[in-house]
Amino acid sequence: MNNPPSPSPHAPDDPPRSATPGEAADKELGIPEAVIVREENRWVLVVVGVFLTILATIVFSAVHIGAEPPSNVETINPVSANQPGSEFVESNLGSGMQADGTVVVRVLAQQYAFVPSVITVPVDTPVVFRATSADVVHGLLIMGTNVNTMIVPGYVATLRTRFAKTGDFLMPCHEFCGPSHHDMWARVRVVPKAEFPFDPSGERRF
Amino acid sequence: MTNSRNFYGASSLVLAHLWSAFALFVPGIALGVWQMWVRSPWGHFATAATYYSSVTAHGSFFGYIFPTLVAMGFGYACCAAGLARPIRGMAWAWTGFWMVVTGSVLVLVPVLFGQAGVLYTFYPPLTANAWYYGGLVTVIIGSWIWVAVLVVNMVGWKRENPGKPVPLAMFASVASALVWLWTSLGVLSEVVFYLLPVALGWRTQVDAGLGRVLFSWTLHGIVYFWLLPAYIAYYTLAPQAAGSRLYSDIMGRLAFLLFVVFAMPIGIHHLFADPQVGSGTKFLHTVFTIMVVVPTLITVFSITATMEISGRLHGGKGVFGWVAALPWKEPTVLATGLSFIMLGIGGAGGIINMSYGMNASIHNTQFVTAHFHMIYPGAVVIMYFVIIYELWPKLTGRPLWSLRLVRTQLWLWFIGIMLLTIPWHVAGLLGQPRRMAFYDYSDPVLARIAPWVTPSVIGGFIALLSATLLLVNMALSHLPARDENIGPLQFALSVNPPSRIPAALNGFGYWNVLMLVVLGVNYGIPIAQLLLLKNAHTSPGYQVGSHPEADGAIPAVNREQRDAQP
Amino acid sequence: MRRHGLFSIHNPWKFWGAVLVASMLVMGIAIGFLWLPQVQERPVFGDRLKKPGGWFASFCRGLGWTGDAQATATAAPPARWASDMQWTPDTVHLALSGDRARGEFVALNCTACHGEKGQGGQQTWIPKLARMDRLVIYKQLADYRSGHRQWGVMNAVAMALSEQDSADVAAYFNSQAQPPLQLGQEGSNPPLTDARFKDAQKLVYNGDPLRHVAACATCHGPSARMTAAPDLQGQHPAYLTRQLGDFAQGHRANDLHLQMRAIASQLSPDEMNALGLFLAQGKGPRDAR
């Protein structure tokens, strides 16, 4: 940090004070201002180093392991989200496979359940979660994974992931959505690829 | 009752603020402990609405009311004692005080009646009783009077003392006031433009996404508003108590200026997982969020150096020998040490929360709650205790009842908070979501978390015991005979007290402008973007709480239609 | 220092403060809006994700305008949905603006089965309508009209009613006195023992999270209300039990977002029975505080 010319210690207009505990400090240590400034400058270099290290770690993990927050600002009318013509109509919810082998999971969150309440996805396959809310703010978290997003009414949350191992996972709503928030849990079942049949028509939902 | 000499006639004002801040301290903590217990494996279930009302009361009190009153009271103390003259605008100061008290009652009453279970973070389109929001607005406006009083006093002093450095305690208090002023604009605009109109039935639709962005504006700055009284205590009270001098006055000023600029326009890091904000905006806020480690690291350095001076004066030798030599019997030194331990652990956790990518593993889990309970009730509130213990003799003119009791209280608090938060962090890392009234620990996944929850609850009870002891200390310390040797409050001098300092470090004008530029970019982008998307995505409000008129399913949206009925 | 003045360019603090902030803004925008969008989510998703072409596309992606919706547009199964009802402010307004006096006239069609003034008839699988919320009656009539809810005579009745008629009759029944609670063990087989009572109580006030069963009280009142969720207290237990069964098996599927189907499919017949009795006894959601 760029220190200005430091004022001389004990400037004449420094009002005389009665004996304070600090007096002893002056007598015994008498640290010159130059020493203080030097030490501080060294510390500022350390702080700059900390800043740059944190920043570099964040950028590195974003570029190389994809540790980035989602970015898709897409709007939807929450009141008609369940109507025909909407992507979140009842019959279209759940997992479906696209022609390129990607699995798209559509989830509708509402007080106080996720639809569907059991989600099946194949292991080691690119999965796109698309979720929206029919009423208030919700969130979803698949425990034991990094799948974690807010679900805000009026917006579609998009999240990409890939499940590394098979098994059953809990998927609670993690944002306060009303007095039965604690009842809002779903499950995610990650199955071997063979149990998630490829569907060329793309019309089947699980 | 009070010793008016020491604060130039402001003793009653300071005492009124601090007593009203701590009057509900024990019940507020009792609610928190009750919540821990209810959701633990051995808790009994109460109705969920009661639980969420309790969370709302606990959060509203400790988020808005308690720290505001402490900051105001301590700010007035710093103003009077720091500038060594009476406060100008005492009538205004009392007006602000009564507004905050009235607003607090208005906030808490609807919560107690189950009409405002929206938590202190609101979550539109959930809608609470209009009085709840109205009370909050009253609290904020009342606290703005405090901001104005401090600014006017500082400006007036500078005019009459040209070229002289504003005393650090006053300078830092004004920094804290300015952080609060700019910070509270976010929540105030959310409440005034979105929530109150819906609660009153004037509007039907609310944009939940925009509401969250506006709240995030407040959500991080408010954390620094909670923190700043603790930092002021580090800089101005701790060196004195350790028999030392502050290592550097300039670095202190710099730290507070950095808080003014960087504490607030960084709140989108609370919205990393939100769908209404793009990743570019999220990254921009990440960069500025990293910057707030700088004033904290500067503070850690300055205060550690200050303490080292003290340790060496007390005969400490070697690289770390001075630590053992510190006057640990001095409550303020003890509390500062304990506070630094909690600040260190909590700060490390915070870096995970604010990391652009890593956040996804802990977002909205109990890790977050554990983190801010380590920082706020831990590192910060223990310094509020210091403020109480340092100011009390000066305010009352009587010595503290018992230093041993004070030390016991501080140790109990430290042990309680550590036991509360460390297992709580682990529960979060195991994926336990936050804000739930009940967990079914019979599930094997949740059963793994159960052993971490139990010690946490015990920690909560220890903290509650400590809080009770604090109130006992506060009350008992009004009893001893007056001691004429108790002088006025003196703030720490630095090793080399500056006689003159650069004008840029003696005022806030320029730094406010700089902050507003950052704010304009960092919040201008997402707010403009959401306003451009207007009307495509709003949703009706959802009234929480019962409808005693038993009129059936009336969401907030229909209020006016219902009232228009014959 | 004063001689330079606060806003002077010669003030090093001011100068370096501005440089610091400006460089952070430039760095944040450059990395966040221009560089990272180029590599976003590609490490996880491989080459399935198109790289935004050009800096402008990159900037839009940083703002969140990604065009991801098209990328996920797939063939959809034939549409099936629960109800045509959309609770827009206009619809809510219409449903609440019924005329009670006109409604009394419309209600002449109803009393044969639902009882005088909606107080309940002989058949316990037919609901009592008195005091029922206006939005509930309005929505159920709309669903009978559109065929999203099926029940013999009701579809025909509803088709004869206009939207205004529905609002009127809703206003009429809503204004009637609360029917008396049935405290007996009506239709109770097996009887409501203490243990079963406790189980039902737990479901009503607490729910069962890991079966994703939300607490009845939080939608059916009074601690909170879901739009168009009826008050259950004092309803015929046989009606309630039967509706739960119908939801569980999909015979009734007009709950807007599968709430009731998801819940009922997790309940055992015994639980449905106990819930019906619990609610009928007047120890229902209304007691929750």
Side-chain angles (χ1 to χ4, degrees), chain A residues 93-160:
Chain A
L93 298 173
S95 319
M97 190 172 269
Q98 298 192 119
D100 66 355
T102 307
V103 169
V104 179
V105 182
R106 292 185 184 79
V107 181
L108 184 69
Q110 39 91 22
Q111 289 172 321
Y112 296 96
F114 292 104
V115 189
S117 47
V118 179
I119 293 165
T120 308
V121 288
V123 71
D124 199 26
T125 306
V127 176
V128 184
F129 273 87
R130 284 176 63 76
T132 195
S133 161
D135 37 45
V136 300
V137 175
H138 301 276
L140 70 79
L141 157 71
I142 302 180
M143 286 171 73
T145 74
N146 281 350
V147 177
N148 193 326
T149 184
M150 300 302 305
I151 305 175
V152 179
Y155 301 86
V156 179
T158 310
L159 195 88
R160 291 160 199 279

Side-chain angles (χ1 to χ4, degrees), chain A residues 11 13 22 26 28-29 31 33 40 43 67-72 146 148-150 154-155 173-176 179 181, chain B residues 48 117 123 207 245 248 251 272-275 279 282 297 301 309 313 356-357 360-361 363-364 435-436 496 499 537:
Chain A
D13 59 344
D26 291 348
E28 302 226 353
L29 289 168
I31 310 166
E33 184 68 9
E40 282 171 354
W43 180 250
E68 282 200 81
S71 183
N72 182 35
N146 281 350
N148 193 326
T149 184
M150 300 302 305
Y155 301 86
C173 169
H174 67 40
E175 190 59 284
F176 177 65
H181 165 56
Chain B
Y123 303 114
D207 181 345
R245 285 195 157 196
S248 166
M251 286 302 249
F272 279 153
D274 272 43
S279 63
K282 289 170 182 172
L297 287 178
F301 174 80
I309 294 174
L313 284 173
Y356 189 57
S361 53
H363 176 79
N364 263 351
R435 304 194 184 101
M436 280 197 180
N496 301 306
S499 58
H537 50 282

Side-chain angles (χ1 to χ4, degrees), chain C residues 10 40 52 68 73 178 231 236 249:
Chain C
H10 301 294
Q40 196 159 42
D68 267 3
Q178 175 85 39
D231 194 346
H236 284 306
Q249 292 164 30

Side-chain angles (χ1 to χ4, degrees), chain B residues 528-552:
Chain B
Q529 188 182 355
L530 291 175
L531 288 176
L532 285 175
L533 294 171
K534 208 166 188 270
N535 291 335
H537 50 282
T538 54
S539 44
Y542 285 77
Q543 186 89 33
V544 301
S546 60
H547 299 286
E549 65 269 36
D551 201 6

